[in-house]
């Protein structure tokens, strides 16, 4: 496999883009990434588009070809990939694979979703397409229900408290204030969090990521092509995709996702780095408790201590490991198919040293994108160019 | 790139599977392909699932992971790919690529769709997700409208007649009678075709493929792994994916699809074979006129003579080139995401010499899968193992 580097990134703001067609958001992010890369469009050999529910919510598919057409890309393979909330990470991995395997020298991964135009009932029904509905549908659970259960197990087993989990919320919402692309940055007090509406006990309003529109994109090239582009490179050390159980009862432990655990292990092995080497991670905090579980599953924090570390400030930008300095899904937003590429956008900025909420001396960065009830996962490890 | 061979095939019948969940159809076809291959499930390193509109019509996504889970496959990357009606062909190409590039030694591609439970209005709206709706939506065209226009151009330019096009319908419907998996085989007279309902002038009822449920699957391995399996191998000479214009006005010619033309050219070049070497092709006859156009775009028949060749019997099983001996989409059916893999199922049988409508001495086979208004295309070339 050939070495691959990221040379261009682009993103729309995450938030409300009422009335803007999804393909227009995707084209905007992709065009920005192409300019940032300084790559000749004729050299791009593959496009992967991550999207989850444009069919149900927009009546639009074949978006990969539509976006390539509007970008003026040549006649290349254009593929939509889907793995629920991990769709963006999967798009990135496939663009990486197309280059690593020698199919082409340059590729682009784009992620896009529009959701805010739908009613809550419509978007909840669409999001539940990520469940194994034949088996888990009768449970009546939605995703807040699943993560509420996970929180209860975590609290019972490890003594995790509301106040500790609130530290995750406060950190990510505060980080979001520094991110010009974020949908919902805020300076929140514990009392504001405590008194917010119950969504699915123990989850309250600020524990849940918002509904979002947005798009993000990354341009990748083979290392051997670096001299042909002008974008500031970031090395890809690993791009891993795994699967876990597709139904809730298939998970032996409700507060750990096998797909994350195995993806992280494989990524560290492929990259030849250890968890302790990671300076910054953008991980899949669709709910506050998800950040706690993810950080433990990734091996970044000892099991059971995820919320405690947040409360102690050890996951802040100047902490032991910076988690979600972008604001994460909680504050930056979660336009589902775009999220994985949005994470890469953030980590590339960190490793270029140009992030508005910069982690000091960030050298090794990680992204983590999780889909469904843990059925699909991607983990990437990136390194600042030396 | 490493050499890759197909060693297992599986398929449900195409037709009505009312009440059967889509994942159950996919698992059935995939399990059959795994048994046919005689491959150890633990050796399968990637799963690609082609599906188009399970989101809008079933409220189900992440099907790749769900199907892998139910098949008892290991923790491997599982990805849904989508390119409208070419989704199945795209799944095949990605499974091929995973092995050719050395990511894994064995992979499975599955395609599935369920549509017959939906109303005509629902399925028409879902199928129109394959259009560039921002640009072509205001035209009011559905797919019969597009292919009706193409027919008019073909008739005006080349003198193609109703009777010639009816020869395509008669052949494919008759071929379908010999295919136990086909939804709508029939012995039709010209008069029956002529007097059938007008769908979108000049398209009549029998010119249009039916709405279908179904699934099909193919197991592929690296040639170096052949000794570990028992399935009868068929060589993959080329697996090409292209794109064309995403909007109707982007096509310089309404009765030719650039994506097909370039896919065929690239496939012949990659395989080192010529169009004249092709003994049997399963191509994308979503409408009778589509078979005419496709056969010309693929370079199998001189431009303008596609319908004439059918009328002269030159595309029959014992003709110059056997086109759609399975019955094609017109008779076998078109469960969209499954169609591309269903075509491979048919051609593999031909090259193994075990097809119920066998082409004599078939050595080189071709498949052609076309999505949207020609925005996505796959072409594969296969060879009987020597």
């Amino acid at each position: 496999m050939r070495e691959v580097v990221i040379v261009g990134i682009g993103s729309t703001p995450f938030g409300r883009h009422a009335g803007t067609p999804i393909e227009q958001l995707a084209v905007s992010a992709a065009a920005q990434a192409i300019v940032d890369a300084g790559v000749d469009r004729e050299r791009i050999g593959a496009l992967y588009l991550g999207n989850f529910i444009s069919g149900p919510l927009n009546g639009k598919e074949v978006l990969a070809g539509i976006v390539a057409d509007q970008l003026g890309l040549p006649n290349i393979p254009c593929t939509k990939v889907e793995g629920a909330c991990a769709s963006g990470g999967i798009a990135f991995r496939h663009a990486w694979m197309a280059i690593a395997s020698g199919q082409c020298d340059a590729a682009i991964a784009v992620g896009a979703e529009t959701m805010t135009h739908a009613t809550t009932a419509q978007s909840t029904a669409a999001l539940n397409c990520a469940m194994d509905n034949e088996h888990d549908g009768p449970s009546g659970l939605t995703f807040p229900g699943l993560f509420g259960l996970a929180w209860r197990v975590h609290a019972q087993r490890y003594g995790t408290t509301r106040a500790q989990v609130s530290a995750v919320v406060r950190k990510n919402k505060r980080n979001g204030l520094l991110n010009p692309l974020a949908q919902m940055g805020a300076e929140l007090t514990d009392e504001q969090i405590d008194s917010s509406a119950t969504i699915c006990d123990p989850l309250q309003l600020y524990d849940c990521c918002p509904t979002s529109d947005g798009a993000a994109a990354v341009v990748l090239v083979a290392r051997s092509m670096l001299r042909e582009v002008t974008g500031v490179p970031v090395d890809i050390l690993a791009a891993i995709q795994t699967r876990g159980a597709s139904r809730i009862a298939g998970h032996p432990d409700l507060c750990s996702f096998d797909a994350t655990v195995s993806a992280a292990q494989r990524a560290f092995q492929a990259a030849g780095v250890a968890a302790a080497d990671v300076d910054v991670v953008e991980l899949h905090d669709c709910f506050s408790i998800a950040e706690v579980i993810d950080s433990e599953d990734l091996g970044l924090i000892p099991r059971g201590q995820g919320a405690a570390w947040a409360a102690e400030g050890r996951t802040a930008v100047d902490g032991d490991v910076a988690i979600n300095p972008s604001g994460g899904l909680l504050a930056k937003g979660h336009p589902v198919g775009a999220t994985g590429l949005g994470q890469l956008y953030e980590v590339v900025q960190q490793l270029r040293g140009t992030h508005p909420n910069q982690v000091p001396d960030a050298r090794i960065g990680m992204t983590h994108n999780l889909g469904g009830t843990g059925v699909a996962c991607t983990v990437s490890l990136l390194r600042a160019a030396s």
Side-chain angles (χ1 to χ4, degrees), chain A:
Chain A
M1 305 294 277
R2 300 194 297 174
E3 287 185 31
V4 184
V5 292
I6 297 173
V7 290
I9 55 174
S11 181
T12 69
F14 285 8
R16 286 186 186 275
H17 292 276
T20 307
I22 184 169
E23 57 267 45
Q24 192 173 319
L25 294 176
V27 166
S28 169
Q32 193 183 327
I34 291 169
V35 169
D36 184 49
V39 68
D40 179 352
R41 284 169 201 232
E42 290 295 320
R43 292 285 274 134
I44 295 177
L47 179 145
Y48 285 92
L49 186 136
N51 171 262
F52 173 36
I53 40 176
S54 176
L57 292 185
N58 297 317
K60 291 179 180 176
E61 291 288 355
V62 290
L63 288 169
I66 290 172
V67 167
D69 204 40
Q70 294 188 15
L71 283 169
L73 297 184
N75 175 347
I76 57 173
C78 300
T79 307
K80 165 178 161 173
V81 292
E82 184 273 330
C85 303
S87 300
I90 293 173
F92 172 72
R93 175 177 171 268
H94 279 79
W96 166 80
M97 204 155 55
I99 300 171
S101 67
Q103 288 274 308
C104 55
D105 292 328
I108 186 164
V110 194
E113 206 81 62
T114 52
M115 305 174 63
T116 67
H117 62 290
T119 65
T120 302
Q122 287 170 334
S123 60
T124 300
L127 287 167
N128 256 33
C129 290
M131 288 246 180
D132 183 340
N133 283 310
E134 291 293 326
H135 295 95
D136 291 335
S139 73
L141 281 175
T142 58
F143 284 95
L146 172 66
F147 281 92
L149 285 175
W151 183 332
R152 286 201 178 282
V153 174
H154 206 276
Q156 183 163 36
R157 193 182 300 164
Y158 304 115
T160 297
T161 65
R162 166 77 262 182
Q164 287 173 327
V165 177
S166 292
V168 173
V169 177
R170 278 191 285 108
K171 168 182 67 73
N172 288 3
K173 290 288 189 184
R174 188 183 300 131
N175 285 342
L177 282 177
L178 296 172
N179 189 344
L181 299 183
Q183 181 173 5
M184 286 192 159
E187 190 70 54
L188 293 177
T189 65
D190 277 358
E191 201 202 335
Q192 284 173 304
I193 297 169
D194 282 353
S195 61
S196 71
T198 296
I199 300 299
C200 187
D201 187 39
L203 289 175
Q204 294 179 256
L205 181 64
Y206 292 117
D207 294 305
C208 307
C209 70
T211 299
S212 316
D213 309 321
V218 169
V219 171
L220 308 80
V221 300
R223 181 175 299 286
S224 57
M225 197 186 137
L226 262 183
R227 73 195 63 171
E228 293 182 50
V229 300
T230 57
V232 178
V234 164
D235 298 338
I236 302 169
L237 302 180
I240 304 293
Q241 180 183 350
T242 55
R243 82 162 184 92
S246 62
R247 60 186 87 170
I248 295 170
H251 292 281
D253 185 346
L254 259 185
C255 62
S256 173
F257 293 101
D258 292 349
T260 300
V261 173
S262 58
Q265 288 172 347
R266 292 181 199 177
F268 287 130
Q269 187 170 8
V273 305
D277 298 327
V278 174
D279 299 306
V280 54
V281 58
E282 291 285 335
L283 56 73
H284 203 89
D285 60 326
C286 44
F287 301 95
S288 51
I289 190 67
E291 172 163 319
V292 173
I293 293 170
D294 296 343
S295 61
E296 299 171 8
D297 281 344
L298 292 169
L300 302 173
I301 298 180
R303 187 65 66 185
Q305 298 180 39
W309 274 43
E312 293 161 14
R314 300 174 71 176
T315 59
V317 165
D318 58 355
D320 296 48
V321 56
I323 297 182
N324 288 331
S326 73
L329 284 61
L330 284 180
K332 189 186 174 192
H334 184 25
V336 177
T339 293
L341 287 154
Q343 295 173 326
L344 287 152
Y345 178 96
E346 300 290 336
V347 170
V348 167
Q349 282 187 300
Q350 292 284 357
L351 299 179
R352 285 176 172 179
T354 59
H355 198 278
N357 191 19
Q358 181 67 42
V359 175
D361 303 321
R363 285 271 307 149
I364 302 288
M366 186 179 215
T367 63
H368 164 257
N369 204 194
L370 187 66
T373 58
V375 67
C377 181
T378 62
V379 165
S380 304
L381 280 167
L382 309 180
R383 184 180 58 202
S386 47

